[in-house]
Amino acid sequence: QMCIRDRVSTQSTGVSVANLKDMNPRTARWVGIDVVARDQLQALVATSKLSADVDLYQLILDGKRGTVTAEQMKKATDVKAVVTAYATILAPVREMRTRLNALELETFGLRDTVNRGLTAFKQSAIDDAKKRLATITAEMTDLKSQIAAISTANFTTALFNDLINLLRLSTPANPSAARAATLMMEDMAQLSVTFDETTQMLLRNIVFGDGPLEDSSLLFSFVEYPERGEISASKGSLAEIRDEALKTIAARHQTPLDDGRKLELGDTHPCLQRSAE
């Protein structure tokens, strides 16, 4: 079953509570995510071999409306059944998100009509746009309320973490499980379910293969944007260091700089790069 945190025992894994207290906090958390959870979910993870040829990512996207509840999903006996139940619960949310996106797109044009006013449109067109905008806003508010109700009734951060972790552990038998896990994280954001430290650790492990003490996203930021990770040993003023850094960035990215006067304006961010163009 999911939500193993309420009943996890460390005895079968050989990890004692005393050992956990002596560990780095992140390492201790990883022991719970990987070692203990792997033991507790062993029977469920083993069933992933039975659905090795099933695209779990597509299975979630193709979910149909049904009467499945989160409690029924927790009692599923194999990985495919868990994912199918999850897809059924999320099906109405995906339909509403599609509708929300379409309505939001329509509001852009309506707001342009209202904001440009009589300089571009007749009064009748502006009035019609205002009425339609009010109708759309009310419908969007209702859809968001329905999504929030489904989220509150079925999901918590702990449940999502267990679902994601189950798919992570099932990835060796079914590679599509990793994509399905990332999709679940996107769903967490759409449902406004809070990410905690466990979720972030799972995200880094699934995307980058990071362990408890690694942070590849930080490493990539140094590789892709080296100027963010550089340290200046200059003894000059902060303004001088800033100007030198901007010159380095401009040379690196072949972007021209102006004479610097705009950089000194009070309403300009001190490290904002301005080109003469």
Side-chain angles (χ1 to χ4, degrees):
Q1 290 186 8
M2 302 295 99
C3 283
I4 59 172
R5 274 169 197 73
D6 298 333
R7 54 188 184 80
V8 159
S9 169
T10 59
Q11 294 179 357
S12 60
T13 62
V15 180
S16 68
V17 175
N19 287 341
L20 288 176
K21 289 182 179 179
D22 294 336
M23 291 180 182
N24 177 292
R26 292 179 63 83
T27 304
R29 182 179 295 275
W30 181 250
V31 169
I33 293 173
D34 193 58
V35 181
V36 177
R38 191 181 295 274
D39 179 73
Q40 295 295 323
L41 294 173
Q42 184 178 9
L44 200 54
V45 171
T47 64
S48 61
K49 298 178 181 179
L50 303 176
S51 55
D53 58 341
V54 177
D55 188 338
L56 299 178
Y57 176 84
Q58 196 60 44
L59 185 62
I60 294 177
L61 292 178
D62 294 340
K64 305 295 182 184
R65 281 178 177 262
T67 57
V68 178
T69 64
E71 291 304 315
Q72 291 173 314
M73 177 178 64
K74 294 176 186 178
K75 296 175 182 177
T77 57
D78 64 84
V79 172
K80 184 180 177 181
V82 171
V83 174
T84 301
Y86 174 83
T88 302
I89 296 172
L90 263 288
V93 174
R94 297 195 191 287
E95 293 175 7
M96 286 186 275
R97 289 300 311 179
T98 300
R99 177 62 178 164
L100 270 173
N101 291 337
L103 291 174
E104 185 178 27
L105 189 61
E106 187 177 352
T107 62
F108 296 153
L110 293 172
R111 286 198 177 95
D112 284 343
T113 300
V114 173
N115 292 335
R116 293 178 67 186
L118 295 173
T119 59
F121 301 96
K122 294 181 179 180
Q123 186 62 50
S124 58
I126 297 174
D127 293 340
D128 289 342
K130 288 181 178 179
K131 291 179 182 178
R132 177 59 181 159
L133 191 58
T135 302
I136 289 178
T137 302
E139 184 178 352
M140 290 177 69
T141 301
D142 180 60
L143 288 171
K144 289 177 181 178
S145 298
Q146 292 182 52
I147 292 174
I150 292 174
S151 174
T152 303
N154 293 282
F155 296 104
T156 62
T157 302
L159 176 56
F160 257 118
N161 286 344
D162 285 332
L163 288 168
I164 293 166
N165 203 17
L166 172 63
L167 291 177
R168 181 185 73 85
L169 296 173
S170 301
T171 299
N174 188 337
S176 68
R179 290 189 67 204
T182 59
L183 180 58
M184 282 188 179
M185 292 183 204
E186 293 178 18
D187 291 338
M188 280 187 76
Q190 297 288 353
L191 293 170
S192 299
V193 177
T194 306
F195 278 44
D196 63 8
E197 290 184 17
T198 299
T199 318
Q200 295 171 16
M201 195 171 284
L202 287 168
L203 172 63
R204 286 195 292 270
N205 180 260
I206 292 169
V207 176
F208 299 116
D210 284 354
L213 303 178
E214 297 172 306
D215 191 350
S216 290
S217 56
L218 180 62
L219 174 63
F220 278 112
S221 72
F222 286 152
V223 172
E224 296 295 329
Y225 305 101
E227 55 269 10
R228 293 184 183 180
E230 291 174 359
I231 298 174
S232 174
S234 172
K235 295 182 180 180
S237 66
L238 184 60
E240 292 172 340
I241 295 173
R242 177 202 64 201
D243 292 342
E244 287 301 317
L246 282 175
K247 290 177 183 177
T248 302
I249 296 170
R252 226 175 236 159
H253 299 283
Q254 298 180 346
T255 304
L257 284 172
D258 62 10
D259 56 10
R261 283 179 295 180
K262 289 183 179 179
L263 290 172
E264 306 300 331
L265 294 177
D267 59 349
T268 303
H269 189 282
C271 289
L272 180 64
Q273 182 179 195
R274 293 289 193 92
S275 72
E277 300 159 352

